Every structure is written in structure tokens, then in C-alpha cells.
Amino acid sequence: MLEYAIAGGFSAIPTTIVTTPMERVKVVLQTQDQAGAAGRKYTGMFDAGSSMIKEGGISSLYRGTVATLARDVPGSAAYFVAYEFTHRLLKGDSDKLSIGAVLFSGGMAGVAMWSIAIPPDVIKSRIQSAPAGTYKGFMDCATKIVAQEGPSALFKGLGPALLRAFPANAAGFLGRAASLEVMHRLW
């Protein structure tokens, strides 16, 4: 299982490089209306992205990278370990495709990931949506959240994330298993 944990954790590094700019744009667009009509600054994703680059350079799009890594490295490690462990446990020695085992294992992978990933995800979203200079970094943001709102604030959104994670990841792993089964029969 250690191999799956390491491989899963490392898989988050290139993913973070690719996804952080769009995560930043998404979070800013999702939160800009919280200040009312006066807070609305961007008309869409291209306007937001290009404006952020003009205001703070390309690095502006990568605000929250450390938080994204803090979320995705352990989250991805847990994701792949949970799937493999649960699937092997349920499948036993059988080589036959077990839809139930795949669905449950996939669901548990999503639950494992988001159970670990929510606190850094909350921190990431705060960093990405705050005006530049609000936080000195990941730990500063985490410390301020806990000091101002208590430790439970780091778990905001856990319920909906877990409710989404189980069926979404169960379906994703079922699609993977079904497509592998078809390909193995074809060649």
C-alpha cells in the first residue's frame, strides 16, 4: 500500500500545477458577489484570469499553490490507498469484476480523500478569495481562521463534500473498471 500512497501523493504535483490557476479563478468568481453588487469585479473566467495577470502577474493565478498541495498530496495518497485496500479486501482472490466492490471501493476512496482534504481546501479557498496581502501564507491563514472562528471552521463543507464524494467516485471507478473490462475483452 505504501507504493500507492507515494504514487498518489506524487500524482498531485503535476495536477496542482495544471489546476491551481483555474481553481483560483473559480474561487474568485464564486465569492466576488459576497460583497454585493459593488464586489462584482469580473464578468467571467477569461476576464478574471486576464485581469489577475494584469494586476499581479502570472503568479497571481498561482496564489494558493501551497494550500492546494497540502490538500491534494495527502488527499490523493489516501484516495488511491483507500481504493486499493478496500477493493482487495472485498474482491478477495477473485479475478471477476465485482460491481459492488468497485462501487464501494470508489466511494470510500472519495470519502478518504475529502476527510483529509477539507481543512486545507478551506484554507486554499480563503487564500485564493482574499485580497492580495491578507495572508502571509498557508499557516498564517490557518492560524487566523482558527483564532477567529475556532477549529471547526476548518471543516466547513465537509458534509456536502462527503455526500458528493461517495457517489461521484463510486461512479468514476465503475466507469474505469467497466472500460478496462471492455478493453481486456477486445484485445
Side-chain angles (χ1 to χ4, degrees):
M1 289 297 133
L2 180 61
E3 296 165 338
Y4 289 101
I6 293 169
F10 272 108
S11 76
I13 296 168
T15 303
T16 295
I17 293 166
V18 172
T19 61
T20 298
M22 289 314 302
E23 285 262 341
R24 166 97 160 100
V25 169
K26 176 190 73 129
V27 167
V28 167
L29 289 172
Q30 287 176 333
T31 59
Q32 71 175 346
D33 291 334
Q34 291 177 354
R40 186 172 201 90
K41 189 172 181 180
Y42 306 112
T43 58
M45 76 176 188
F46 293 112
D47 179 42
S50 62
S51 295
M52 285 181 214
I53 291 170
K54 286 177 191 166
E55 292 167 11
I58 196 83
S59 64
S60 176
L61 292 176
Y62 282 91
R63 186 184 314 159
T65 299
V66 170
T68 304
L69 285 168
R71 175 192 72 185
D72 291 351
V73 170
S76 295
Y79 181 77
F80 290 107
V81 167
Y83 179 82
E84 286 299 325
F85 178 80
T86 308
H87 191 253
R88 288 180 187 185
L89 188 69
L90 295 174
K91 174 178 109 149
D93 294 332
S94 175
D95 287 335
K96 291 180 68 177
L97 174 65
S98 167
I99 292 173
V102 170
L103 286 170
F104 188 75
S105 301
M108 292 309 294
V111 167
M113 192 237 182
W114 283 104
S115 294
I116 292 170
I118 280 291
D121 188 60
V122 169
I123 296 164
K124 176 199 73 71
S125 295
R126 298 282 181 99
I127 290 169
Q128 289 180 326
S129 64
T134 303
Y135 303 110
K136 294 178 185 122
F138 181 83
M139 290 306 295
D140 180 53
C141 181
T143 302
K144 286 179 178 174
I145 291 171
V146 171
Q148 293 168 3
E149 301 171 49
S152 64
L154 295 173
F155 292 90
K156 286 183 178 178
L158 179 61
L162 295 180
L163 287 173
R164 174 194 67 195
F166 193 94
N169 289 283
F173 274 102
L174 181 61
R176 173 189 173 269
S179 64
L180 284 171
E181 188 75 16
V182 168
M183 288 186 282
H184 288 156
R185 289 181 186 192
L186 292 174
W187 52 81

